[in-house]
Coordinates of all heavy atoms in Angstrom, one line a residue:
M1 N 44.5 30.0 -90.0 CA 44.4 28.8 -90.7 C 45.7 28.0 -90.5 O 46.8 28.6 -90.7 CB 44.1 29.0 -92.1 CG 43.8 27.8 -92.9 SD 43.2 28.2 -94.5 CE 43.3 26.6 -95.3
Q2 N 45.6 26.7 -90.2 CA 46.8 25.9 -90.0 C 47.5 25.7 -91.4 O 46.9 25.3 -92.4 CB 46.4 24.6 -89.4 CG 47.6 23.7 -89.2 CD 47.1 22.3 -88.6 OE1 45.9 22.1 -88.5 NE2 48.1 21.5 -88.3
K3 N 48.8 25.9 -91.4 CA 49.6 25.6 -92.6 C 49.8 24.1 -92.8 O 50.2 23.4 -91.9 CB 50.9 26.3 -92.5 CG 51.7 26.2 -93.8 CD 53.1 26.8 -93.7 CE 53.9 26.6 -94.9 NZ 55.2 27.1 -94.8
L4 N 49.5 23.6 -94.0 CA 49.6 22.2 -94.2 C 51.1 21.9 -94.7 O 51.6 22.6 -95.6 CB 48.7 21.7 -95.3 CG 47.2 21.8 -94.9 CD1 46.3 21.4 -96.1 CD2 46.9 20.9 -93.8
V5 N 51.7 21.0 -94.1 CA 53.1 20.6 -94.6 C 53.1 19.2 -95.0 O 52.2 18.4 -94.5 CB 54.1 20.9 -93.4 CG1 54.2 22.3 -93.1 CG2 53.8 20.1 -92.2
E6 N 54.0 18.8 -95.8 CA 54.1 17.4 -96.2 C 54.5 16.6 -95.1 O 55.3 16.9 -94.3 CB 55.1 17.3 -97.4 CG 55.0 15.9 -98.0 CD 55.8 15.8 -99.3 OE1 56.9 16.2 -99.3 OE2 55.2 15.4 -100.3
T7 N 53.8 15.4 -94.9 CA 54.1 14.6 -93.8 C 54.6 13.2 -94.3 O 54.4 12.9 -95.5 CB 52.8 14.4 -93.0 OG1 51.7 14.1 -93.9 CG2 52.4 15.7 -92.3
R8 N 55.1 12.4 -93.4 CA 55.7 11.1 -93.9 C 55.5 10.1 -92.8 O 55.3 10.4 -91.6 CB 57.1 11.3 -94.2 CG 58.0 11.6 -93.0 CD 59.4 11.8 -93.4 NE 60.2 12.0 -92.2 CZ 61.4 12.5 -92.1 NH1 61.9 13.1 -93.2 NH2 62.1 12.6 -91.0
I9 N 55.5 8.9 -93.3 CA 55.6 7.7 -92.4 C 56.8 6.9 -92.7 O 57.3 6.9 -93.8 CB 54.3 6.8 -92.5 CG1 54.1 6.3 -93.9 CG2 53.1 7.6 -92.0 CD1 53.0 5.3 -94.1
E10 N 57.4 6.2 -91.7 CA 58.6 5.4 -91.9 C 58.2 4.0 -91.9 O 57.4 3.5 -91.1 CB 59.5 5.6 -90.7 CG 60.2 7.0 -90.7 CD 61.2 7.1 -89.6 OE1 61.7 6.1 -89.1 OE2 61.6 8.3 -89.3
I11 N 58.8 3.2 -92.9 CA 58.5 1.8 -93.0 C 59.9 1.1 -93.0 O 60.8 1.4 -93.8 CB 57.8 1.5 -94.3 CG1 56.5 2.2 -94.4 CG2 57.6 0.0 -94.5 CD1 55.8 2.1 -95.7
D12 N 60.1 0.3 -92.0 CA 61.3 -0.5 -91.9 C 61.5 -1.4 -93.1 O 60.5 -2.0 -93.6 CB 61.3 -1.3 -90.6 CG 62.7 -1.9 -90.3 OD1 63.2 -2.7 -91.1 OD2 63.2 -1.6 -89.3
E13 N 62.7 -1.5 -93.7 CA 62.8 -2.3 -94.9 C 62.6 -3.8 -94.6 O 62.3 -4.6 -95.5 CB 64.2 -2.1 -95.5 CG 65.3 -2.7 -94.9 CD 66.6 -2.6 -95.6 OE1 66.7 -1.8 -96.6 OE2 67.6 -3.2 -95.2
K14 N 62.6 -4.2 -93.3 CA 62.2 -5.6 -93.0 C 60.8 -5.9 -93.4 O 60.4 -7.0 -93.8 CB 62.4 -5.9 -91.5 CG 63.8 -5.9 -91.1 CD 63.9 -6.1 -89.6 CE 65.3 -5.8 -89.1 NZ 65.4 -5.7 -87.6
V15 N 59.9 -4.9 -93.3 CA 58.5 -5.0 -93.7 C 58.4 -5.4 -95.2 O 57.5 -6.2 -95.6 CB 57.7 -3.8 -93.4 CG1 56.3 -3.8 -93.9 CG2 57.7 -3.5 -91.9
T16 N 59.2 -4.8 -96.0 CA 59.2 -5.1 -97.4 C 60.2 -6.1 -97.9 O 60.5 -6.2 -99.0 CB 59.4 -3.8 -98.2 OG1 60.8 -3.3 -97.9 CG2 58.4 -2.7 -97.9
A17 N 60.6 -6.9 -96.9 CA 61.5 -8.1 -97.2 C 62.8 -7.6 -97.9 O 63.3 -8.3 -98.8 CB 60.8 -9.2 -97.9
G18 N 63.2 -6.4 -97.6 CA 64.4 -5.9 -98.2 C 64.2 -5.4 -99.7 O 65.2 -5.0 -100.3
E19 N 63.0 -5.5 -100.2 CA 62.7 -5.1 -101.6 C 63.0 -3.5 -101.7 O 62.6 -2.8 -100.8 CB 61.3 -5.4 -102.0 CG 61.0 -6.8 -102.2 CD 61.5 -7.4 -103.5 OE1 61.6 -6.6 -104.5 OE2 61.9 -8.5 -103.5
K20 N 63.6 -3.1 -102.8 CA 63.7 -1.7 -103.1 C 62.3 -1.2 -103.6 O 61.7 -1.8 -104.4 CB 64.8 -1.5 -104.1 CG 64.9 0.0 -104.4 CD 66.2 0.3 -105.2 CE 66.4 1.7 -105.7 NZ 65.6 2.7 -105.1
L21 N 61.9 -0.1 -103.0 CA 60.6 0.5 -103.5 C 60.9 1.6 -104.5 O 62.0 2.2 -104.5 CB 59.9 1.2 -102.3 CG 59.5 0.2 -101.1 CD1 58.8 1.0 -100.0 CD2 58.6 -0.9 -101.6
P22 N 60.0 1.7 -105.5 CA 60.2 2.8 -106.5 C 60.1 4.2 -105.9 O 59.6 4.3 -104.8 CB 59.0 2.5 -107.5 CG 58.1 1.7 -106.8 CD 58.8 1.0 -105.7
D23 N 60.6 5.2 -106.6 CA 60.6 6.5 -106.0 C 59.2 7.1 -105.9 O 58.9 8.0 -105.2 CB 61.4 7.4 -106.9 CG 62.9 7.1 -106.9 OD1 63.3 6.4 -105.9 OD2 63.6 7.5 -107.8
T24 N 58.3 6.6 -106.8 CA 56.9 7.0 -106.7 C 56.0 5.8 -106.7 O 56.2 4.8 -107.4 CB 56.5 7.8 -108.0 OG1 57.4 9.0 -108.1 CG2 55.1 8.4 -108.0
M25 N 55.0 5.8 -105.7 CA 54.1 4.7 -105.6 C 52.7 5.3 -105.6 O 52.5 6.5 -105.6 CB 54.4 4.0 -104.3 CG 55.7 3.3 -104.3 SD 56.1 2.3 -102.8 CE 55.0 0.9 -103.0
I26 N 51.7 4.4 -105.6 CA 50.3 4.8 -105.6 C 49.7 4.5 -104.2 O 49.8 3.4 -103.7 CB 49.5 4.0 -106.7 CG1 50.1 4.1 -108.0 CG2 48.0 4.4 -106.7 CD1 49.6 3.1 -109.0
L27 N 49.1 5.6 -103.7 CA 48.4 5.4 -102.4 C 46.9 5.3 -102.6 O 46.3 6.2 -103.3 CB 48.7 6.6 -101.5 CG 48.0 6.6 -100.2 CD1 48.9 6.7 -99.0 CD2 46.9 7.7 -100.1
Y28 N 46.3 4.3 -102.1 CA 44.8 4.1 -102.2 C 44.3 4.3 -100.8 O 44.7 3.6 -99.9 CB 44.5 2.6 -102.7 CG 45.0 2.3 -104.1 CD1 46.2 1.6 -104.3 CD2 44.2 2.7 -105.2 CE1 46.6 1.3 -105.5 CE2 44.7 2.3 -106.5 CZ 45.9 1.6 -106.6 OH 46.3 1.3 -107.9
A29 N 43.3 5.1 -100.7 CA 42.5 5.3 -99.4 C 41.3 4.3 -99.6 O 40.5 4.6 -100.4 CB 42.1 6.7 -99.2
M30 N 41.3 3.2 -98.8 CA 40.3 2.2 -99.0 C 39.0 2.5 -98.2 O 37.9 2.3 -98.6 CB 40.9 0.8 -98.6 CG 42.0 0.4 -99.5 SD 41.8 0.6 -101.3 CE 40.4 -0.5 -101.6
D31 N 39.2 2.9 -96.9 CA 38.1 3.2 -96.0 C 38.7 4.0 -94.9 O 39.8 4.4 -94.9 CB 37.4 1.9 -95.6 CG 38.3 0.9 -94.9 OD1 39.3 1.3 -94.2 OD2 38.1 -0.3 -95.1
A32 N 37.9 4.2 -93.8 CA 38.3 5.0 -92.7 C 39.5 4.4 -91.9 O 40.1 5.0 -91.1 CB 37.2 5.3 -91.8
D33 N 39.8 3.1 -92.1 CA 40.8 2.4 -91.3 C 41.9 1.8 -92.1 O 42.8 1.2 -91.5 CB 40.1 1.2 -90.6 CG 39.0 1.8 -89.6 OD1 39.3 2.8 -88.9 OD2 38.0 1.1 -89.5
H34 N 41.9 2.0 -93.5 CA 43.0 1.3 -94.2 C 43.5 2.1 -95.4 O 42.7 2.7 -96.2 CB 42.5 0.0 -94.8 CG 42.1 -1.0 -93.8 ND1 40.9 -1.1 -93.2 CD2 42.9 -2.0 -93.2 CE1 40.9 -2.1 -92.3 NE2 42.1 -2.6 -92.3
L35 N 44.8 2.2 -95.5 CA 45.4 2.7 -96.7 C 46.3 1.6 -97.3 O 46.8 0.7 -96.6 CB 46.4 3.8 -96.3 CG 45.8 5.1 -95.6 CD1 46.9 5.9 -95.0 CD2 45.0 5.9 -96.6
V36 N 46.4 1.6 -98.6 CA 47.3 0.7 -99.3 C 48.2 1.5 -100.2 O 47.8 2.4 -100.9 CB 46.5 -0.4 -100.1 CG1 47.4 -1.3 -100.9 CG2 45.5 -1.1 -99.2
I37 N 49.5 1.1 -100.2 CA 50.5 1.8 -101.0 C 51.0 0.7 -101.9 O 51.5 -0.3 -101.4 CB 51.6 2.4 -100.2 CG1 51.0 3.5 -99.2 CG2 52.6 3.1 -101.1 CD1 52.0 4.0 -98.2
A38 N 50.9 0.9 -103.2 CA 51.4 -0.1 -104.2 C 52.3 0.4 -105.2 O 52.3 1.6 -105.5 CB 50.1 -0.7 -104.9
A39 N 53.2 -0.4 -105.7 CA 54.2 0.0 -106.7 C 53.6 0.2 -108.0 O 54.1 1.0 -108.8 CB 55.4 -1.1 -106.7
K40 N 52.6 -0.6 -108.3 CA 51.9 -0.5 -109.6 C 50.4 -0.6 -109.4 O 49.9 -1.1 -108.4 CB 52.4 -1.6 -110.6 CG 52.3 -3.0 -110.0 CD 53.0 -4.0 -111.0 CE 52.8 -5.4 -110.4 NZ 53.8 -5.9 -109.5
P41 N 49.6 -0.2 -110.4 CA 48.1 -0.2 -110.2 C 47.7 -1.6 -109.9 O 48.2 -2.6 -110.5 CB 47.6 0.3 -111.6 CG 48.7 1.1 -112.1 CD 50.0 0.4 -111.7
V42 N 46.7 -1.7 -109.0 CA 46.1 -3.0 -108.7 C 44.6 -2.9 -109.0 O 43.9 -2.0 -108.5 CB 46.3 -3.3 -107.2 CG1 45.6 -4.6 -106.8 CG2 47.8 -3.4 -106.8
K43 N 44.1 -3.8 -109.9 CA 42.8 -3.7 -110.4 C 41.7 -3.6 -109.3 O 40.8 -2.7 -109.4 CB 42.5 -4.8 -111.4 CG 41.1 -4.7 -112.1 CD 40.9 -5.8 -113.1 CE 39.5 -5.6 -113.7 NZ 39.1 -6.6 -114.6
A44 N 41.8 -4.5 -108.4 CA 40.7 -4.5 -107.3 C 40.8 -3.2 -106.5 O 39.7 -2.7 -106.1 CB 41.0 -5.7 -106.4
L45 N 42.0 -2.7 -106.3 CA 42.1 -1.4 -105.6 C 41.6 -0.2 -106.4 O 40.9 0.7 -105.9 CB 43.5 -1.2 -105.1 CG 44.1 -2.2 -104.2 CD1 45.5 -1.9 -103.8 CD2 43.3 -2.4 -102.9
E46 N 41.9 -0.3 -107.7 CA 41.4 0.8 -108.6 C 39.9 0.9 -108.6 O 39.4 2.0 -108.7 CB 41.9 0.5 -110.0 CG 43.4 0.6 -110.2 CD 44.0 2.0 -110.4 OE1 43.2 2.9 -110.9 OE2 45.1 2.2 -110.0
E47 N 39.3 -0.3 -108.5 CA 37.8 -0.3 -108.6 C 37.1 0.1 -107.3 O 36.0 0.5 -107.3 CB 37.3 -1.7 -109.0 CG 37.8 -2.1 -110.4 CD 37.5 -3.5 -110.8 OE1 37.1 -4.3 -109.9 OE2 37.7 -3.9 -112.0
N48 N 37.8 -0.2 -106.2 CA 37.2 0.0 -104.9 C 37.7 1.1 -104.0 O 37.1 1.4 -103.0 CB 37.3 -1.3 -104.1 CG 36.5 -2.4 -104.8 OD1 35.3 -2.3 -105.1 ND2 37.2 -3.5 -105.2
A49 N 38.8 1.7 -104.3 CA 39.3 2.8 -103.5 C 38.5 4.0 -103.4 O 37.8 4.4 -104.4 CB 40.7 3.1 -103.9
L50 N 38.4 4.7 -102.3 CA 37.7 5.9 -102.2 C 38.4 7.0 -103.0 O 37.8 7.9 -103.6 CB 37.6 6.4 -100.7 CG 36.8 5.4 -99.8 CD1 36.9 5.8 -98.4 CD2 35.4 5.3 -100.3
T51 N 39.8 7.0 -102.9 CA 40.6 7.9 -103.7 C 42.0 7.3 -103.9 O 42.3 6.3 -103.2 CB 40.7 9.3 -103.0 OG1 41.3 10.2 -103.8 CG2 41.4 9.2 -101.7
K52 N 42.7 7.8 -104.8 CA 44.1 7.4 -105.0 C 44.9 8.6 -105.4 O 44.4 9.6 -105.9 CB 44.2 6.3 -106.1 CG 44.1 6.8 -107.5 CD 44.4 5.6 -108.4 CE 44.7 6.2 -109.8 NZ 45.1 5.2 -110.8
T53 N 46.2 8.5 -105.1 CA 47.1 9.6 -105.4 C 48.5 9.0 -105.5 O 48.8 7.9 -105.0 CB 47.0 10.7 -104.3 OG1 47.8 11.8 -104.8 CG2 47.5 10.3 -103.0
S54 N 49.4 9.8 -106.0 CA 50.8 9.3 -106.1 C 51.5 9.9 -104.9 O 51.2 11.0 -104.4 CB 51.5 9.9 -107.3 OG 51.0 9.3 -108.5
V55 N 52.5 9.1 -104.4 CA 53.3 9.5 -103.2 C 54.8 9.2 -103.6 O 55.1 8.3 -104.3 CB 52.9 8.7 -101.9 CG1 51.5 9.2 -101.5 CG2 53.0 7.2 -102.1
K56 N 55.6 10.1 -103.0 CA 57.1 9.9 -103.2 C 57.6 9.0 -102.1 O 57.1 9.1 -100.9 CB 57.7 11.3 -103.2 CG 57.4 12.1 -104.4 CD 58.4 13.2 -104.6 CE 58.1 14.1 -105.8 NZ 58.1 13.4 -107.0
V57 N 58.6 8.2 -102.4 CA 59.3 7.4 -101.5 C 60.8 7.6 -101.5 O 61.4 7.7 -102.6 CB 59.0 5.9 -101.8 CG1 59.7 5.0 -100.8 CG2 57.5 5.6 -101.9
V58 N 61.4 7.8 -100.3 CA 62.8 8.0 -100.2 C 63.3 6.8 -99.3 O 62.8 6.6 -98.2 CB 63.1 9.3 -99.5 CG1 64.6 9.5 -99.3 CG2 62.6 10.5 -100.3
S59 N 64.3 6.1 -99.9 CA 64.8 4.9 -99.2 C 66.2 5.4 -98.6 O 67.0 5.9 -99.3 CB 65.0 3.7 -100.1 OG 63.8 3.3 -100.6
Q60 N 66.3 5.1 -97.3 CA 67.6 5.5 -96.6 C 67.8 4.7 -95.4 O 66.8 4.4 -94.7 CB 67.7 7.0 -96.3 CG 66.6 7.5 -95.4 CD 66.6 8.9 -95.1 OE1 67.0 9.7 -96.0 NE2 66.2 9.4 -93.9
Q61 N 69.0 4.3 -95.1 CA 69.4 3.7 -93.8 C 68.4 2.6 -93.3 O 67.8 2.8 -92.2 CB 69.6 4.7 -92.7 CG 70.7 5.7 -93.1 CD 70.9 6.7 -92.0 OE1 70.0 7.0 -91.2 NE2 72.1 7.4 -92.0
N62 N 68.1 1.6 -94.1 CA 67.3 0.5 -93.7 C 65.8 0.9 -93.5 O 65.1 0.2 -92.7 CB 67.8 -0.2 -92.4 CG 69.2 -0.7 -92.6 OD1 69.6 -1.1 -93.7 ND2 70.0 -0.7 -91.6
K63 N 65.4 2.0 -94.1 CA 64.0 2.3 -94.0 C 63.5 3.1 -95.2 O 64.3 3.6 -96.0 CB 63.7 3.2 -92.7 CG 64.4 4.5 -92.7 CD 64.2 5.2 -91.4 CE 65.1 6.4 -91.3 NZ 65.0 7.1 -90.0
H64 N 62.2 3.1 -95.4 CA 61.6 3.8 -96.5 C 60.8 5.0 -95.9 O 60.0 4.7 -94.9 CB 60.7 2.9 -97.3 CG 61.4 1.7 -97.8 ND1 62.3 1.7 -98.8 CD2 61.2 0.4 -97.4 CE1 62.7 0.4 -99.0 NE2 62.1 -0.4 -98.2
L65 N 60.9 6.2 -96.4 CA 60.1 7.3 -96.0 C 59.1 7.5 -97.0 O 59.4 7.8 -98.2 CB 60.9 8.5 -95.7 CG 62.1 8.4 -94.8 CD1 62.9 9.7 -94.7 CD2 61.6 8.0 -93.4
V66 N 57.8 7.4 -96.7 CA 56.7 7.6 -97.6 C 56.1 9.0 -97.3 O 55.6 9.3 -96.2 CB 55.6 6.6 -97.5 CG1 54.5 6.8 -98.5 CG2 56.2 5.2 -97.8
M67 N 56.2 9.9 -98.3 CA 55.7 11.3 -98.2 C 54.2 11.3 -98.5 O 53.8 11.2 -99.7 CB 56.5 12.2 -99.1 CG 58.0 12.1 -99.0 SD 58.6 12.3 -97.3 CE 60.3 12.0 -97.6
L68 N 53.4 11.5 -97.5 CA 51.9 11.5 -97.7 C 51.4 12.9 -97.9 O 52.0 13.8 -97.3 CB 51.2 10.9 -96.5 CG 51.6 9.4 -96.2 CD1 50.8 9.0 -94.9 CD2 51.2 8.5 -97.3
P69 N 50.4 13.1 -98.7 CA 49.8 14.4 -98.8 C 49.2 14.8 -97.4 O 48.7 13.9 -96.7 CB 48.6 14.2 -99.8 CG 49.0 12.9 -100.5 CD 49.8 12.1 -99.6
P70 N 49.4 16.0 -97.0 CA 48.9 16.5 -95.7 C 47.4 16.2 -95.5 O 47.1 15.8 -94.3 CB 49.1 18.0 -95.8 CG 50.2 18.2 -96.7 CD 50.0 17.1 -97.8
K71 N 46.6 16.3 -96.5 CA 45.1 16.0 -96.2 C 44.9 14.5 -95.8 O 44.1 14.2 -95.0 CB 44.3 16.3 -97.5 CG 44.1 17.8 -97.7 CD 43.2 18.0 -98.9 CE 42.9 19.5 -99.1 NZ 42.0 19.7 -100.2
I72 N 45.7 13.6 -96.4 CA 45.5 12.2 -96.1 C 46.1 12.0 -94.7 O 45.4 11.4 -93.8 CB 46.3 11.3 -97.1 CG1 45.7 11.4 -98.5 CG2 46.4 9.9 -96.6 CD1 44.4 10.7 -98.7
Y73 N 47.3 12.5 -94.4 CA 47.9 12.3 -93.1 C 47.0 12.9 -92.0 O 46.8 12.2 -91.0 CB 49.3 13.1 -93.1 CG 50.1 12.8 -91.9 CD1 51.0 11.7 -91.9 CD2 50.0 13.6 -90.8 CE1 51.8 11.5 -90.8 CE2 50.8 13.4 -89.7 CZ 51.7 12.3 -89.7 OH 52.5 12.0 -88.6
N74 N 46.5 14.1 -92.2 CA 45.6 14.7 -91.2 C 44.2 14.0 -91.1 O 43.7 13.9 -90.0 CB 45.4 16.2 -91.5 CG 46.7 17.0 -91.4 OD1 47.6 16.6 -90.6 ND2 46.9 18.0 -92.1
F75 N 43.7 13.6 -92.2 CA 42.4 12.9 -92.1 C 42.4 11.6 -91.3 O 41.6 11.3 -90.5 CB 41.9 12.5 -93.5 CG 40.6 11.7 -93.5 CD1 39.4 12.4 -93.4 CD2 40.6 10.4 -93.6 CE1 38.2 11.7 -93.4 CE2 39.4 9.6 -93.6 CZ 38.2 10.3 -93.5
Y76 N 43.5 10.9 -91.4 CA 43.7 9.6 -90.7 C 44.3 9.9 -89.3 O 44.6 8.9 -88.6 CB 44.5 8.6 -91.5 CG 43.7 8.0 -92.7 CD1 43.8 8.6 -93.9 CD2 42.8 7.0 -92.5 CE1 43.0 8.0 -95.0 CE2 42.1 6.4 -93.5 CZ 42.2 7.0 -94.7 OH 41.4 6.4 -95.8
H77 N 44.6 11.1 -89.0 CA 45.3 11.5 -87.7 C 46.5 10.6 -87.4 O 46.7 10.1 -86.3 CB 44.3 11.3 -86.6 CG 43.1 12.2 -86.7 ND1 43.1 13.6 -86.5 CD2 41.8 11.9 -87.1 CE1 41.9 14.1 -86.7 NE2 41.1 13.1 -87.1
L78 N 47.3 10.4 -88.4 CA 48.5 9.6 -88.3 C 49.5 10.1 -87.3 O 50.4 9.3 -86.8 CB 49.2 9.3 -89.6 CG 48.3 8.5 -90.6 CD1 49.0 8.4 -92.0 CD2 47.9 7.2 -90.1
D79 N 49.4 11.4 -86.9 CA 50.3 11.9 -85.9 C 49.8 11.5 -84.5 O 50.5 11.6 -83.5 CB 50.4 13.4 -86.0 CG 49.1 14.2 -86.0 OD1 48.1 13.5 -86.2 OD2 49.1 15.4 -85.6
E80 N 48.5 11.1 -84.4 CA 47.9 10.8 -83.1 C 47.6 9.3 -82.9 O 47.6 8.8 -81.8 CB 46.6 11.6 -82.9 CG 46.7 13.1 -83.0 CD 45.4 13.8 -83.2 OE1 44.4 13.2 -83.0 OE2 45.4 15.0 -83.4
N81 N 47.2 8.7 -84.0 CA 46.7 7.3 -83.9 C 47.9 6.3 -84.0 O 48.9 6.6 -84.7 CB 45.8 7.0 -85.0 CG 44.4 7.6 -84.8 OD1 44.0 7.8 -83.7 ND2 43.7 8.0 -85.9
D82 N 47.7 5.2 -83.4 CA 48.6 4.0 -83.6 C 48.2 3.4 -84.9 O 47.0 3.4 -85.2 CB 48.5 3.0 -82.5 CG 49.1 3.5 -81.2 OD1 50.0 4.3 -81.2 OD2 48.6 3.0 -80.1
Y83 N 49.1 2.9 -85.7 CA 48.8 2.2 -86.9 C 49.8 1.1 -87.1 O 50.9 1.1 -86.6 CB 48.7 3.2 -88.1 CG 49.9 4.0 -88.3 CD1 51.0 3.6 -89.1 CD2 50.0 5.3 -87.7 CE1 52.1 4.4 -89.3 CE2 51.1 6.1 -87.9 CZ 52.1 5.7 -88.7 OH 53.2 6.5 -88.9
T84 N 49.3 0.1 -87.9 CA 50.1 -1.1 -88.2 C 50.5 -1.1 -89.6 O 49.6 -0.8 -90.5 CB 49.3 -2.4 -87.8 OG1 49.0 -2.3 -86.4 CG2 50.2 -3.6 -88.1
I85 N 51.8 -1.3 -89.9 CA 52.2 -1.4 -91.3 C 52.6 -2.8 -91.6 O 53.4 -3.5 -90.9 CB 53.4 -0.5 -91.5 CG1 53.1 1.0 -91.2 CG2 54.0 -0.6 -92.9 CD1 54.2 1.9 -91.2
M86 N 51.9 -3.4 -92.7 CA 52.2 -4.7 -93.1 C 52.5 -4.7 -94.6 O 52.1 -3.8 -95.3 CB 50.9 -5.6 -92.9 CG 50.4 -5.6 -91.5 SD 48.7 -6.2 -91.4 CE 47.8 -4.8 -91.8
A87 N 53.1 -5.8 -95.1 CA 53.3 -6.0 -96.5 C 52.7 -7.3 -97.0 O 52.7 -8.3 -96.2 CB 54.8 -5.9 -96.9
S88 N 52.3 -7.4 -98.2 CA 51.8 -8.6 -98.8 C 53.0 -9.6 -98.9 O 54.1 -9.3 -99.3 CB 51.3 -8.3 -100.2 OG 51.1 -9.5 -100.9
D89 N 52.7 -10.9 -98.5 CA 53.7 -11.9 -98.7 C 54.0 -12.2 -100.2 O 55.1 -12.4 -100.6 CB 53.2 -13.2 -98.1 CG 53.2 -13.2 -96.6 OD1 54.0 -12.4 -96.0 OD2 52.5 -13.9 -95.9
K90 N 52.9 -12.1 -101.0 CA 53.1 -12.3 -102.5 C 53.9 -11.2 -103.1 O 54.6 -11.4 -104.0 CB 51.8 -12.5 -103.1 CG 51.0 -13.7 -102.8 CD 49.7 -13.8 -103.5 CE 48.8 -14.9 -103.0 NZ 47.5 -14.9 -103.6
D91 N 53.6 -10.0 -102.7 CA 54.3 -8.8 -103.3 C 54.6 -7.8 -102.2 O 53.8 -7.0 -101.7 CB 53.3 -8.1 -104.3 CG 54.0 -6.9 -104.9 OD1 55.2 -6.6 -104.7 OD2 53.2 -6.2 -105.6
P92 N 55.9 -7.9 -101.7 CA 56.3 -7.1 -100.5 C 56.3 -5.6 -100.9 O 56.5 -4.8 -100.0 CB 57.7 -7.6 -100.1 CG 58.1 -8.5 -101.2 CD 56.9 -8.9 -102.0
T93 N 56.1 -5.2 -102.1 CA 56.1 -3.8 -102.5 C 54.6 -3.3 -102.4 O 54.4 -2.1 -102.7 CB 56.6 -3.5 -103.8 OG1 55.9 -4.2 -104.8 CG2 58.1 -4.0 -103.9
T94 N 53.7 -4.1 -101.9 CA 52.3 -3.6 -101.7 C 52.2 -3.6 -100.1 O 52.3 -4.6 -99.4 CB 51.3 -4.6 -102.2 OG1 51.4 -4.6 -103.7 CG2 49.9 -4.1 -101.9
I95 N 52.0 -2.4 -99.6 CA 52.0 -2.1 -98.2 C 50.7 -1.7 -97.7 O 50.0 -0.9 -98.3 CB 53.0 -1.0 -97.9 CG1 54.4 -1.4 -98.4 CG2 53.1 -0.6 -96.4 CD1 55.4 -0.2 -98.7
I96 N 50.2 -2.3 -96.6 CA 48.9 -2.1 -96.0 C 49.1 -1.3 -94.7 O 50.0 -1.7 -93.9 CB 48.1 -3.4 -95.8 CG1 47.9 -4.1 -97.1 CG2 46.8 -3.1 -95.1 CD1 48.6 -5.4 -97.2
I97 N 48.4 -0.2 -94.5 CA 48.4 0.5 -93.3 C 47.1 0.4 -92.6 O 46.1 0.9 -93.2 CB 48.8 2.0 -93.5 CG1 50.2 2.0 -94.2 CG2 48.8 2.8 -92.2 CD1 50.6 3.4 -94.7
A98 N 47.0 -0.2 -91.5 CA 45.7 -0.4 -90.7 C 45.8 0.6 -89.6 O 46.7 0.6 -88.8 CB 45.6 -1.8 -90.3
I99 N 44.7 1.4 -89.5 CA 44.7 2.4 -88.4 C 43.7 1.9 -87.3 O 42.7 1.3 -87.5 CB 44.1 3.7 -88.9 CG1 45.2 4.3 -89.9 CG2 43.9 4.8 -87.8 CD1 44.7 4.5 -91.3

């Protein structure tokens, strides 16, 4: 059986317009192609997400490292797939990952 290890994605701070991210954020799995990471609960996401979980964020050297649960990372094949990371213009601490 494959050992699951914590996995991470890197987000350049330019994506978040230089905003400092909190140490813990909420990850919403929306569908097979989209994840959303938010600093605080978002009503529409709370109502429509397939699942949600807390994730740790480490900010260092002009980037943010988001520690994803292994099941999420592996389900979305983030080690194999290309994905796009975007942030909301209204709230740069809300991050969208499109696979």
Side-chain angles (χ1 to χ4, degrees):
M1 186 172 170
Q2 180 183 4
K3 183 180 177 187
L4 295 176
V5 296
E6 188 167 52
T7 50
R8 66 184 188 202
I9 58 170
E10 290 185 16
I11 301 171
D12 191 298
E13 75 175 9
K14 292 176 192 168
V15 172
T16 60
E19 289 283 328
K20 180 169 175 14
L21 298 180
D23 294 340
T24 303
M25 295 181 74
I26 303 165
L27 177 124
Y28 297 97
M30 300 310 298
D31 55 36
D33 299 319
H34 296 90
L35 298 169
V36 178
I37 302 169
K40 55 187 180 273
V42 178
K43 185 177 180 184
L45 300 178
E46 294 279 331
E47 294 171 356
N48 296 304
L50 299 172
T51 189
K52 78 173 194 175
T53 188
S54 293
V55 293
K56 293 201 179 297
V57 178
V58 177
S59 297
Q60 63 182 31
Q61 298 177 343
N62 303 326
K63 63 185 170 187
H64 307 289
L65 304 175
V66 180
M67 311 303 175
L68 299 178
K71 285 184 178 182
I72 296 286
Y73 190 89
N74 292 332
F75 176 81
Y76 287 96
H77 300 283
L78 294 176
D79 58 337
E80 302 168 9
N81 286 330
D82 288 333
Y83 53 90
T84 302
I85 299 172
M86 306 166 274
S88 165
D89 288 335
K90 292 180 186 174
D91 180 5
T93 63
T94 298
I95 300 158
I96 300 115
I97 301 169
I99 294 116

